[in-house]
Amino acid sequence: MPFSKTTAQVLSQVAPEGKWSSGLFSCTQDWCSCLAVTCCMPITTAQLYMRYSYNCAPGWRSLVFVLVALFLYLGNLARANINSVNLEDAEIDEIDEIDEIDTDIVTPSDMGPLMLGFVASIVTVLIVCTVRRKVRAEHAIPEEHCAGCEDVCCAVWCTSCTSCQIMRQVGLSGSNYSLCKAGGNDVPDLV
């Protein structure tokens, strides 16, 4: 299916006041933000956090960004590691019978990484929810569905798509976006 708009056309669009510049599931309108969120979710989440939720002195900005991104990355890594260990422990004969794989057993040594992964997931959802609420308020965008909890619903059930929508709305897309800047495009490089 051919794309109806180029990235340049999407970036040049200015959303009318009170409307999103693109839909929640319009990720293919800007592959840059879509790939960044898909492959580097901890970094893009930390960038949104730095841009909308954290005020600090400029000298501390890069350090706080790195700490938030590192925490989210380690949490995702810990959660992925626990899942792969449980599958490696399964018997070869059991792999064909999914019902018999015992992935519910968590050893005491798994509890630390499991909790880190759980907390990182919750923090990611809270950051995306908070940023979405602030972007909606800044652009006077009313809730259309799930009145009173639309931001929570979007952040919980489609964190990646919600992050992409926010990035498109605030102009963090295409050539206006840098994965190596704490705010996505508004502060000096971290290196």
Side-chain angles (χ1 to χ4, degrees):
M1 182 167 153
F3 297 110
S4 59
K5 300 176 184 178
T6 65
T7 302
Q9 290 170 325
V10 171
L11 294 176
S12 67
Q13 289 178 348
V14 176
E17 192 67 20
K19 297 216 180 264
W20 289 102
S21 62
S22 60
L24 183 62
F25 303 110
S26 300
C27 298
T28 58
Q29 287 184 351
D30 176 45
W31 286 101
C32 177
S33 62
C34 181
L35 288 173
V37 169
T38 301
C39 299
C40 304
M41 183 90 163
I43 293 174
T44 58
T45 303
Q47 287 173 331
L48 291 173
Y49 174 73
M50 294 304 296
R51 194 173 180 92
Y52 283 94
S53 298
Y54 190 80
N55 295 322
C56 66
W60 290 95
R61 189 174 175 95
S62 294
L63 177 64
V64 171
F65 165 74
V66 168
L67 291 175
V68 170
L70 185 62
F71 168 72
L72 295 176
Y73 176 75
L74 289 175
N76 287 333
L77 186 64
R79 186 179 58 234
N81 192 27
I82 292 296
N83 290 339
S84 68
V85 167
N86 285 339
L87 288 177
E88 287 174 5
D89 291 342
E91 297 277 333
I92 298 294
D93 297 336
E94 294 176 348
I95 299 225
D96 293 332
E97 300 174 21
I98 298 297
D99 295 336
E100 293 183 26
I101 296 178
D102 194 2
T103 59
D104 296 330
I105 295 176
V106 178
T107 64
S109 64
D110 291 342
M111 287 307 294
L114 189 63
M115 290 307 295
L116 179 63
F118 176 73
V119 171
S121 297
I122 297 298
V123 168
T124 299
V125 168
L126 289 175
I127 289 173
V128 171
C129 178
T130 302
V131 170
R132 189 175 196 273
R133 186 176 318 117
K134 288 182 179 189
V135 169
R136 269 193 327 94
E138 183 180 292
H139 295 270
I141 301 171
E143 289 182 310
E144 295 177 9
H145 311 286
C146 303
C149 63
E150 181 176 309
D151 301 320
V152 173
C153 290
C154 288
V156 168
W157 285 300
C158 199
T159 310
S160 298
C161 293
T162 304
S163 293
C164 289
Q165 182 185 40
I166 293 168
M167 291 175 71
R168 289 188 304 271
Q169 182 71 27
V170 299
L172 293 178
S173 54
S175 62
N176 294 328
Y177 176 69
S178 174
L179 194 61
C180 298
K181 293 187 179 180
N185 69 356
D186 64 343
V187 294
D189 291 335
L190 293 174
V191 181

